[in-house]
Amino acid sequence: MDLGAITKYSALHAKPNGLILQYGTAGFRTKAEHLDHVMFRMGLLAVLRSKQTKSTIGVMVTASHNPEEDNGVKLVDPLGEMLAPSWEEHATYLANAEEQDMQRVLIDISEKEAVNLQQDAFVVIGRDTRPSSEKLSQSVIDGVTVLGGQFHDYGLLTTPQLHYMVYCRNTGGRYGKATIEGYYQKLSKAFVELTKQASCSGDEYRSLKVDCANGIGALKLREMEHYFSQGLSVQLFNDGSKGKLNHLCGADFVKSHQKPPQGMEIKSNERCCSFDGDADRIVYYYHDADGHFHLIDGDKIATLISSFLKELLVEIGESLNIGVVQTAYANGSSTRYLEEVMKVPVYCTKTGVKHLHHKAREFDIGVYFEANGHGTALFSTAVEMKIKQSAEQLEDKKRKAAKMLENIIDLFNQAAGDAISDMLVIEAILALKGLTVQQWDALYTDLPNRQLKVQVADRRVISTTNAERRAVTPPGLQEAINDLVKKYKLSRAFVRPSGTEDVVRVYAEADSQESADHLAHEVSLAVFQLAGGIGERPQPGF
Ligand code: 16G
Ligand code: MG
């Protein structure tokens, strides 16, 4: 390590005094103007991680669904996964170090992790379309270079595309080619082959309106469109040509406001979907003939996908273990449908993609989705081999199912939840099964639910257990929630400190919207009283 050079360059990316940031569920995220030093330092850290793992590490510059003025950064581990927990701590430590402590902190991390500083390092970088992203990714590159790391700057990419690149590079090209072309070709080939097998290819199954949140998804989908146009025609809205990123549009807006994005005209029963600002989330929706809006969220996406996979396995005659992973936010109806009707085991983890991803790895086939639309399906290597063999050996009908499964495996981004890949999987399944969007929606009816936020002095006073479904502290809170829940039918409620905002989140569901709203309000009051609420007491009405 050339410590002199590090000190010199670090001063050019100086940390604002007193600023403390934490590497959270989504990396670092805050106003873009506060992030220059964090980017430089994450460039340094990526080099150390690369040396330690002897693998390519990714750095993605994005703040996903946050407003355009924000930005953020996430490191991607060798298999396309989120950064290991101990390195998240190093990231926080390094990002908050004062200038004069930089050398010591770097040495400290290197020693703790037994990093061989002589080892080569390689880092790949991607960024979203925010005005601040280009300059910030340059600061990452400065960090990489000053520690002697090699790099490849992919420029504009969706977050899942960067995960894909990292995964390809670390698996010697077996997973795919680590180029944008490679990504387009791999997914499109699988999609086109799959949809060729669909018997009903009427027009109603083959066009889709996509709200791109005025983000990177628009650019990438436009580039990719002609690769899969045989199987699907997409019409892009909020493509960034005029609107602001994530403003009144995108998956987060549609899911949390339960209404369509601005800038998209929807005729009744037309199939529509929204991506978020970095295209790792997707939700579907439509208007029925009476003009009512229907949201099809991550839970229903998981249901469609896992049911289809299960059907294919039955057809092939393989008894592989398949599991669905959700969080506490999953609608109770979805969990019941999966367990009781589909007979698929369901598991619950804490909020945050890394927890779901990790759990899903335990199964031959693990399908994971957060209700907000983050998710994918993971297939173990053994399953992939078995399916490929079956596709060669089995007789007619079974072979067809095995072929489909083989293409589906190729179509899912195994490195991360990916709006583009998920969209193509969903479109293929709908075409193969001849399902309309209404038929898909009718698999089960969501229980009415409500989410609220409560301001408290220190949200860390709330701790939870049982995958965030029970509050352990402050004392008395869980008992209060239990008593409130008893007052309503089919009800459930939980609270948790947000990992991305300074608030406590409240979730409630019940047999009617009125009951869900009441329950959520009453739970908010309990949080306010027992967990040190600040500002105005929560008011009823939404
Ligand atoms: C982050 C997580 C997302 C989670 C959300 C919860 C990733 C890539 N993103 O955006 O999975 O749903 O945080 O936010 O892990 P909250 O803690 O504020 O409710
Ligand atoms: Mg995102």
Side-chain angles (χ1 to χ4, degrees), residues 214-225:
N214 290 316
I216 181 73
L219 266 69
K220 296 297 152 180
L221 204 49
R222 190 143 278 153
E223 277 173 20
M224 186 177 184
E225 200 176 0

Side-chain angles (χ1 to χ4, degrees), residues 29 62-66 74 159-160 276-281 374:
R29 229 181 252 187
T62 180
S64 183
H65 59 271
N66 282 37
K74 258 191 295 200
T159 296
D276 73 337
D278 62 340
D280 65 353
R281 269 170 72 174
H374 272 129

Side-chain angles (χ1 to χ4, degrees), residues 184 187-188 191 194-195 208 221 224 228 232 234 282 284 411 418-430:
Y184 293 150
L187 269 60
S188 305
F191 176 74
L194 257 177
T195 43
L208 173 68
L221 204 49
M224 186 177 184
F228 61 68
L232 175 71
V234 286
I282 184 168
Y284 270 71
L411 190 45
D418 181 337
I420 294 180
S421 143
D422 291 342
M423 174 190 88
L424 293 175
V425 171
I426 292 164
E427 290 301 313
I429 296 178
L430 293 178

Side-chain angles (χ1 to χ4, degrees), residues 190-202:
F191 176 74
V192 170
E193 278 182 18
L194 257 177
T195 43
K196 268 193 206 144
Q197 292 174 287
S199 46
C200 39
S201 50

